[in-house]
Amino acid sequence: MYMRNVMMMGLITVLSVGILWSSEAADQQDRMYGYGLGRPATDLDLQHWNIDVAPTGEGLPPGRGTARQGAAIYATKCASCHGPTGQEGPMDRLVGGAGTLGSQKPVKTIGSYWPYATTLYDYVYRAMPFPAPQSLSSDEVYSVVAWLLYQNGIIAEDTILDVHSLPAIRMPNHNGFVPDPRPDVPKN
Amino acid sequence: MKNSLQKEKRDEPRDEADTEKTALLDRRSLLAGTAGIVSAIVMRSVTRSAEAAMLVAPDDPTRVPGAAPTAYGQRSTYEQSVRVPRSWWGSLTPLQDSHGILTPSALHFERHHNGVPVIDPEHHRLMIHGLVAQPWAFTMDDLKRFPATSRLAFIECSGNSAIEWKAPTGQSVQQTHGLTSTSEWTGVALKTVLQEVGVKPDASWILAEGSDAAAMTRSLPLALLIEEALLCYAQNGEPLRPEQGYPLRLLLPGWEGNTCIKWLRRLKFGTAPFMTREETSQYTDLMSDGTARQFTMLMEAKSVITSPSGGQRVQPGFIDIRGLAWSGRGRIAQVEVSTDGGRSWQQAVLQDPILPKCHTRFCLPWRWNGADVILQSRCLDETGYVQPTRAALVAVRGVNSVYHYNAIQSWKIAADGQVSNVHA
């Protein structure tokens, strides 16, 4: 259902973005070509910025790690804010909550809520540890991601995470998301 | 917390005035040598006491010369309305003190995911890459040289009023609704810049990324945003405030605030959403069956009475009921006010200007007879969407979706004139 929605958006886009791409005669008159502003960006320019990781695994850097290796990194760099086992806080709870989403007290964590494991790599490198974002090496990120997935019962303690194995992980709540159906509330 | 903040605010004008004066004095001392420095010190203390005196109004301002011109204006020292900080992540606009539809830049609500970065505009770049003809980089100067465009628009955090899902929680309208503000935004249309770069036909999603310590990211569907998206460098006639994304932010009128990426440094074109944390773990709306809605970008119509509102105290007699209404779908068509908890409704007056995707001011002249009452407002937008009652909203969404709470707000006026937040 979700993918259908995305594909439809894709179709609409092809139609409207045609305007941006196919520089045909029709709009030539009211279009002023080439303001001559900006310059081509090089791979070097993008090197430190192109850090996103897609669900396909695109963007994952080389490197590897296991939960066993991640335990020490988590204990020194993450536990103070997220708790020794990832459940105690004081900041966002990262572990547990399986089966609670439809209950009165849902507990949203990596294990119970996140649809993609790749998002975890992306976010931990991009934004954590909170006081020093983008400070972890790729081996460290793979390791701490492995530890968080292991704590959530998603992989084994010695599973090696790398550019191939991480995108292959299927998260428990992978199918939990639906597109926006609004307006959805009947008029009073 | 509040006291120290107010103190800070009071000190601000003095500090800036000092910097200005120090610069003048430095020039003076260069000219006059040591004598200059001595007289500078004397002058400094004189102006300081003069300034302190200015804090208190003279008995008759027509008999005392007024203050000298200043480099960057400040409001009257008698005005104390401030944003209220919320933990580390933001601050709330004091809607109860607002007039008209514009939010002063200094009072525009804040929401950030790891602080407000300091960015040197000389070094800032916007990089556009992925499915484009060629990766491209723009300086701020480049972006300002494109044909400019301006519009007014509200920005509302999708978590605005999130504390109201389960029980009446916010004590004031600042706490219940303070994550929305309206500004004039100026910049270049994204479309204009994309024509310069050339987007490949199969591109359908954009990843927008900020240059803050969260490197805040959202995936955005190109087809739905392309007509209105703005790359903004100015707000209310001057460069963006740091809290609002200085030097560059995205504006997607009518969409949830977090999609309007601040401190914008990168747009990457792809064929599918990138599934960042901010569109999976966060900013998704959990329903009571355990499924969650994703990419709920649009802010639906909402209104609230800003006075009388929670925490205020009113007197019997004439009261001009005032409030704000807005819709991410377009213009506000009508606002109705109830003074009996929603049993009967009267049409409020909409004040000009009534602009699409903007706060719209409404009012209703009323006479309070001193009995217990419940005030409500509900709006209708130009698409026919009607702001729902709390019961209707909760019946469909449950109480765990966090985001997009736009139900009718109820304020109770007790017999003693005290106004409080209730769920009615």
Side-chain angles (χ1 to χ4, degrees):
Chain A
M1 177 133 129
Y2 174 69
M3 277 321 287
R4 215 192 311 142
N5 186 42
V6 171
M7 278 164 59
M8 265 178 54
M9 280 187 180
L11 265 178
I12 304 167
T13 311
V14 171
L15 298 177
S16 72
V17 175
I19 306 163
L20 300 172
W21 177 247
S22 64
S23 45
E24 302 313 349
D27 54 335
Q28 202 120 32
Q29 274 161 347
D30 48 32
R31 249 177 76 177
M32 191 154 95
Y33 279 100
Y35 292 102
L37 297 171
R39 61 166 175 83
T42 63
D43 286 349
L44 194 68
D45 289 331
L46 282 160
Q47 180 176 278
H48 298 294
W49 288 17
N50 193 15
I51 56 173
D52 54 278
V53 174
T56 55
E58 201 182 325
L60 278 173
R64 64 210 300 265
T66 65
R68 228 182 279 281
Q69 293 158 333
I73 299 162
Y74 181 86
T76 52
K77 298 195 169 173
C78 321
S80 60
C81 290
H82 295 291
T85 71
Q87 303 193 54
E88 302 85 355
M91 297 310 176
D92 302 32
R93 186 169 163 176
L94 307 178
V95 171
T100 65
L101 294 183
S103 75
Q104 302 258 322
K105 285 216 162 118
V107 178
K108 293 187 274 183
T109 73
I110 295 162
S112 68
Y113 198 55
W114 291 40
Y116 300 96
T118 45
T119 306
L120 191 52
Y121 189 103
D122 177 287
Y123 184 69
V124 169
Y125 176 67
R126 164 186 308 283
M128 291 294 139
F130 204 61
Q134 297 180 44
S135 63
L136 299 184
S137 71
S138 60
D139 284 352
E140 286 176 313
V141 180
Y142 279 117
S143 304
V144 83
V145 163
W147 188 85
L148 288 168
L149 294 173
Y150 166 65
Q151 286 293 304
N152 276 295
I154 295 166
I155 61 170
E157 195 171 10
D158 51 7
T159 302
I160 297 169
L161 287 192
D162 60 16
V163 62
H164 303 295
S165 59
L166 180 62
I169 293 168
R170 198 176 165 81
M171 296 293 274
N173 195 39
H174 180 79
N175 288 332
F177 292 84
V178 297
D180 183 1
R182 297 174 304 159
D184 57 337
V185 181
K187 285 182 191 156
N188 353 117
Chain B
M1 188 91 202
K2 204 177 165 194
N3 280 341
S4 75
L5 182 93
Q6 284 177 338
K7 186 168 180 302
E8 239 169 70
K9 283 276 160 185
R10 262 203 297 275
D11 286 348
E12 241 174 56
R14 228 176 285 162
D15 290 349
E16 276 179 35
D18 276 352
T19 321
E20 158 78 355
K21 258 173 254 131
T22 314
L24 286 171
L25 293 175
D26 282 346
R27 243 171 283 142
R28 203 190 145 105
S29 28
L30 271 178
L31 288 174
T34 322
I37 290 171
V38 172
S39 74
I41 290 165
V42 173
M43 255 197 68
R44 201 184 160 93
S45 50
V46 168
T47 43
R48 244 190 204 292
S49 50
E51 221 172 324
M54 290 301 299
L55 292 176
V56 179
D59 290 341
D60 182 354
T62 66
R63 291 169 185 250
V64 185
T70 52
Y72 195 86
Q74 300 291 338
R75 64 182 170 180
S76 160
T77 50
Y78 288 95
E79 294 303 321
Q80 299 292 323
S81 180
V82 287
R83 294 190 291 216
V84 170
R86 270 280 167 271
S87 181
W88 55 271
W89 57 257
S91 67
L92 309 169
T93 293
L95 294 176
Q96 68 279 7
D97 303 322
S98 65
H99 302 281
I101 63 168
L102 278 177
T103 312
S105 301
L107 296 177
H108 191 295
F109 81 89
E110 296 172 80
R111 175 72 178 100
H112 25 82
H113 295 74
N114 196 354
V116 178
V118 179
I119 295 176
D120 178 348
E122 291 274 319
H123 294 139
H124 192 74
R125 296 286 178 276
L126 174 66
M127 221 84 92
I128 301 185
H129 71 126
L131 294 176
V132 293
Q134 186 172 17
W136 211 255
F138 294 99
T139 63
M140 287 309 301
D141 270 356
D142 291 333
L143 294 169
K144 288 180 189 167
R145 283 178 62 196
F146 277 104
T149 166
S150 236
R151 71 167 290 165
L152 273 71
F154 78 84
I155 295 182
E156 182 184 15
C157 175
S158 54
N160 197 18
S161 316
I163 55 170
E164 296 302 310
W165 277 107
K166 291 179 183 161
T169 305
Q171 289 171 4
S172 65
V173 69
Q174 184 164 19
Q175 289 168 2
T176 58
H177 289 74
L179 291 171
T180 184
S181 300
T182 286
S183 287
E184 181 189 359
W185 305 99
T186 307
V188 48
L190 177 64
K191 205 171 174 176
T192 306
V193 174
L194 293 186
Q195 282 174 346
E196 187 87 344
V197 175
V199 177
K200 292 191 174 167
D202 52 338
S204 54
W205 285 80
I206 310 178
L207 181 75
E209 183 180 81
S211 195
D212 57 330
M216 177 69 188
T217 20
R218 280 299 313 254
S219 305
L220 306 163
L222 180 56
L224 301 186
L225 64 77
I226 192 60
E227 286 312 321
E228 287 190 88
L230 266 188
L231 299 170
C232 303
Y233 43 76
Q235 172 190 10
N236 297 332
E238 63 179 353
L240 293 173
R241 290 289 164 118
E243 314 91 282
Q244 293 311 320
Y246 182 84
L248 185 69
R249 85 173 300 166
L250 193 58
L251 175 73
L252 302 172
W255 289 22
E256 54 185 22
N258 70 81
T259 62
C260 304
I261 297 288
K262 298 187 282 189
W263 314 291
L264 184 70
R265 72 170 186 181
R266 187 162 76 100
L267 295 172
K268 182 181 192 173
F269 286 78
T271 55
F274 294 76
M275 300 298 179
T276 71
R277 179 243 187 186
E278 312 299 344
E279 56 216 16
T280 53
S281 159
Q282 308 293 302
Y283 303 113
T284 47
D285 315 348
L286 185 63
M287 298 294 114
S288 30
D289 67 357
T291 63
R293 296 175 177 177
Q294 196 178 24
F295 299 112
T296 45
M297 315 290 204
L298 192 104
M299 297 309 296
E300 295 191 293
K302 188 165 172 177
S303 72
V304 68
I305 294 171
T306 54
S307 74
S309 62
Q312 297 178 341
R313 209 184 176 96
V314 294
Q315 303 292 324
F318 176 75
I319 293 177
D320 192 29
I321 297 175
R322 297 174 184 155
L324 290 168
W326 59 97
S327 169
R329 290 196 175 92
R331 278 188 181 76
I332 289 296
Q334 180 183 295
V335 177
E336 293 166 299
V337 168
S338 171
T339 55
D340 57 9
R343 277 190 296 282
S344 65
W345 295 90
Q346 298 173 66
Q347 194 153 326
V349 177
L350 300 187
Q351 294 179 350
D352 280 333
I354 304 164
L355 299 169
K357 307 180 185 183
C358 271
H359 284 173
T360 299
R361 179 62 66 178
F362 66 85
C363 60
L364 182 75
W366 178 58
R367 194 162 288 279
W368 182 47
N369 64 11
D372 266 27
V373 285
I374 289 179
L375 302 186
Q376 298 182 335
S377 67
R378 82 172 168 208
C379 63
L380 167 81
D381 73 16
E382 63 180 336
T383 70
Y385 176 89
V386 180
Q387 182 182 11
T389 61
R390 185 187 148 68
L393 186 70
V394 167
V396 175
R397 310 247 181 104
V399 292
N400 287 322
S401 75
V402 183
Y403 307 101
H404 295 287
Y405 182 91
N406 69 328
I408 290 170
Q409 168 69 38
S410 304
W411 301 120
K412 178 183 169 161
I413 307 183
D416 63 358
Q418 191 63 44
V419 188
S420 62
N421 178 9
V422 293
H423 283 177

